Structure formats: structure tokens, C-alpha cells
């Protein structure tokens, strides 16, 4: 079980710290993810309501790598998780308002 992966302990330590100190703030991350999704939807782009702090957005006819690059130029960091799908993840370093703004930026990019 992971005997050849010595970094597993470092990752596990981070997880244990989060479970001990940040579980109650997960609700804030989930709220921020909903704000991000709403920002995307406001531009007329369909996105599924997130259940966690992860928002998955289909890019329509645009390549995910192109969308990631355009968003990055505007200060929004996304990940390409498929040829035409991007992902945004909220966390404690980003406010709900910033997530809403980032969602609006992604919505503008996808609606263009």
C-alpha cells in the first residue's frame, strides 16, 4: 500500500491537519464554489451546481487549454481536465467575492 511512495506521509500530514483545523470552514469553500458557478451562469453558460469546492465547466466548442490560457491572462487559475472541460477549485486563500468575479471572467470567455 504505497510502500514505494515515500511522499505519502507528507500528504497525509496535510490532510490530518486540515481535518483537525479546517473542517468547519469547508462550508465557506462550498459557498464560494456556488458563487463561482453562478458567475459563469450569469453569462449564459450552462454549468452544473457544484456539490463541493470543485466546479467543473464544459467549454463548449473551445479547447480547454485555450480557455485556461485566456483565464490565466485575466488572473483566473483553472485546470484543464479534459479536451473541452475545465475545473476550478476554491480554497481558504480566495474569498467568495473573488470566486464570483472569477466565475464572471470565465463566463465572459466562454460566451465570446
Amino acid at each position: 500500500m504505497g510502500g514505494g511512495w515515500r511522499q505519502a506521509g507528507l500528504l497525509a500530514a496535510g490532510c490530518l491537519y486540515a481535518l483537525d483545523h479546517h473542517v468547519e470552514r469547508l462550508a465557506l469553500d462550498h459557498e464560494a464554489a456556488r458563487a463561482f458557478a453562478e458567475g459563469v451562469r450569469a453569462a449564459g453558460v450552462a454549468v452544473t451546481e457544484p456539490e463541493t469546492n470543485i466546479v467543473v465547466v464544459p467549454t463548449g466548442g473551445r479547447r480547454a487549454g485555450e480557455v485556461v490560457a485566456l483565464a490565466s491572462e485575466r488572473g483566473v487559475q483553472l485546470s484543464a481536465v479534459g479536451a473541452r472541460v475545465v475545473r476550478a477549485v476554491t480554497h481558504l486563500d480566495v474569498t467568495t467575492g473573488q470566486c464570483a468575479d472569477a466565475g464572471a471572467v470565465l463566463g465572459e470567455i466562454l460566451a465570446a
Side-chain angles (χ1 to χ4, degrees), residues 21-37:
H21 298 93
H22 295 293
V23 169
E24 56 281 341
R25 77 161 316 284
L26 284 176
L28 297 174
D29 290 336
H30 295 179
E31 178 184 322
R34 287 189 295 274
F36 180 90

Side-chain angles (χ1 to χ4, degrees), residues 80-97:
V81 294
R84 300 193 188 292
V85 180
V86 296
R87 177 185 77 166
V89 180
T90 64
H91 55 86
L92 61 88
D93 295 326
V94 184
T95 68
T96 299

Side-chain angles (χ1 to χ4, degrees), residues 7-52:
Q7 297 88 349
L10 292 174
L11 293 174
C15 293
L16 290 173
Y17 182 86
L19 287 172
D20 289 341
H21 298 93
H22 295 293
V23 169
E24 56 281 341
R25 77 161 316 284
L26 284 176
L28 297 174
D29 290 336
H30 295 179
E31 178 184 322
R34 287 189 295 274
F36 180 90
E38 185 55 40
V40 175
R41 273 193 220 101
V45 177
V47 60
T48 303
E49 185 71 17
E51 295 182 21
T52 65

